[in-house]
Amino acid sequence: QVQLVESGGGLVQAGDSLRLSCAASGRTFSSNAMGWFRQAPGREREFVAAISWNGRDTNYPNSVKGRFTINRDNAKNTVSLQMNSLKPEDTAVYYCAARLRSGVPTSRTNDYDYWGQGTQVTVSS
């Protein structure tokens, strides 16, 4: 199986930047598409970013396009999310996720099979 551990969350001011990291373990990591999702209290889990197995294709919703960048380093078994120009509405628990049998960076929550524990991001006004 694939195990995922997020880090890098915290409290920042609106307009600031933050970088999240996800450390993966498991021999199948390099063939898996990876994604970031977020969930605020009382809301459904929301797609944030995804990246293909080889890092050549990325996928973002309009809410973060141009502000967030997903990247991966298969040699280090890590995935990152660089978040710039943060807004209060970005406040949520952010989760790293991996697909088990596909390298395609889809946006649907139920396409992903492994999930990290989540890391809190809070953006103050």
Side-chain angles (χ1 to χ4, degrees):
Q1 65 174 358
V2 177
Q3 294 178 319
L4 307 171
V5 180
E6 302 99 331
S7 63
L11 173 64
V12 298
Q13 299 262 11
D16 209 344
S17 297
L18 197 62
R19 182 180 176 89
L20 306 182
S21 294
C22 174
S25 61
R27 64 192 67 182
T28 64
F29 175 77
S30 63
S31 63
N32 294 344
M34 301 293 297
W36 286 95
F37 295 78
R38 65 189 182 188
Q39 189 165 24
R43 303 200 73 256
E44 64 184 0
R45 191 161 294 187
E46 177 188 21
F47 171 68
V48 175
I51 189 166
S52 62
W53 70 275
N54 58 7
R56 293 178 181 173
D57 297 315
T58 56
N59 188 2
Y60 304 95
N62 289 334
S63 59
V64 308
K65 192 175 297 182
R67 298 190 299 122
F68 291 8
T69 303
I70 187 171
N71 204 356
R72 70 189 298 163
D73 186 339
N74 287 351
K76 294 183 177 180
N77 290 337
T78 59
V79 181
S80 67
L81 183 69
Q82 178 66 45
M83 303 184 293
N84 297 328
S85 301
L86 283 162
K87 306 173 181 180
E89 49 263 48
D90 295 319
T91 295
V93 177
Y94 283 70
Y95 297 91
C96 178
R99 298 193 71 178
L100 176 63
R101 299 179 300 276
S102 176
V104 178
T106 60
S107 62
R108 296 176 61 86
T109 301
N110 61 5
D111 285 344
Y112 292 79
D113 303 288
Y114 296 99
W115 295 84
Q117 84 288 351
T119 186
Q120 177 71 47
V121 173
T122 302
V123 184
S124 64
S125 60

Coordinates of all heavy atoms in Angstrom, one line a residue, residues 11-15 86-89 91 122-125:
L11 N -0.7 29.0 10.2 CA -1.5 30.2 10.2 C -0.7 31.3 9.4 O 0.4 31.6 9.8 CB -1.8 30.7 11.6 CG -2.5 32.0 11.8 CD1 -3.9 32.1 11.2 CD2 -2.5 32.4 13.3
V12 N -1.4 31.9 8.4 CA -0.7 33.0 7.6 C -1.7 34.1 7.4 O -2.9 34.0 7.6 CB -0.2 32.4 6.3 CG1 0.9 31.4 6.5 CG2 -1.3 31.9 5.4
Q13 N -1.2 35.2 6.9 CA -2.0 36.4 6.6 C -2.4 36.3 5.1 O -1.8 35.7 4.3 CB -1.1 37.7 6.8 CG -0.7 37.9 8.2 CD -1.6 38.9 8.9 OE1 -2.7 39.2 8.5 NE2 -1.1 39.3 10.1
A14 N -3.6 36.9 4.8 CA -4.0 37.0 3.4 C -3.0 37.7 2.6 O -2.3 38.6 3.0 CB -5.3 37.8 3.4
G15 N -2.8 37.1 1.4 CA -1.7 37.6 0.5 C -0.4 36.9 0.6 O 0.5 37.1 -0.2
L86 N -2.6 33.8 -0.9 CA -3.7 33.1 -0.1 C -4.8 34.1 0.3 O -4.6 35.2 0.6 CB -3.0 32.5 1.1 CG -2.3 31.2 0.8 CD1 -1.3 30.8 1.9 CD2 -3.3 30.0 0.5
K87 N -6.0 33.5 0.3 CA -7.2 34.2 0.7 C -7.9 33.6 1.9 O -7.7 32.4 2.1 CB -8.2 34.2 -0.5 CG -7.6 34.8 -1.8 CD -8.6 34.6 -2.9 CE -8.1 35.1 -4.2 NZ -9.1 34.9 -5.3
P88 N -8.7 34.3 2.7 CA -9.3 33.6 3.8 C -10.2 32.4 3.4 O -10.3 31.5 4.1 CB -10.2 34.8 4.3 CG -9.5 36.0 4.0 CD -8.8 35.7 2.7
E89 N -10.8 32.5 2.2 CA -11.6 31.3 1.7 C -10.7 30.1 1.4 O -11.3 29.0 1.1 CB -12.4 31.7 0.5 CG -11.6 32.4 -0.6 CD -11.8 34.0 -0.5 OE1 -11.6 34.5 0.6 OE2 -12.0 34.6 -1.6
T91 N -8.9 28.8 3.7 CA -8.8 28.1 5.0 C -9.6 26.8 4.9 O -10.7 26.7 4.6 CB -9.4 29.0 6.1 OG1 -8.7 30.2 6.2 CG2 -9.5 28.3 7.4
T122 N -4.8 27.9 7.8 CA -5.7 29.0 8.2 C -5.1 30.3 7.7 O -4.0 30.7 7.9 CB -5.8 29.1 9.7 OG1 -6.3 27.8 10.2 CG2 -6.8 30.2 10.2
V123 N -6.0 31.1 6.9 CA -5.6 32.4 6.3 C -6.4 33.5 7.0 O -7.6 33.5 6.9 CB -5.8 32.4 4.8 CG1 -5.3 33.7 4.2 CG2 -5.1 31.2 4.2
S124 N -5.7 34.4 7.7 CA -6.4 35.4 8.4 C -6.5 36.7 7.5 O -5.7 36.9 6.6 CB -5.7 35.8 9.7 OG -4.4 36.3 9.4
S125 N -7.5 37.5 7.7 CA -7.7 38.7 6.9 C -6.9 39.9 7.5 O -6.4 39.8 8.6 CB -9.2 39.1 6.9 OG -9.7 39.3 8.2

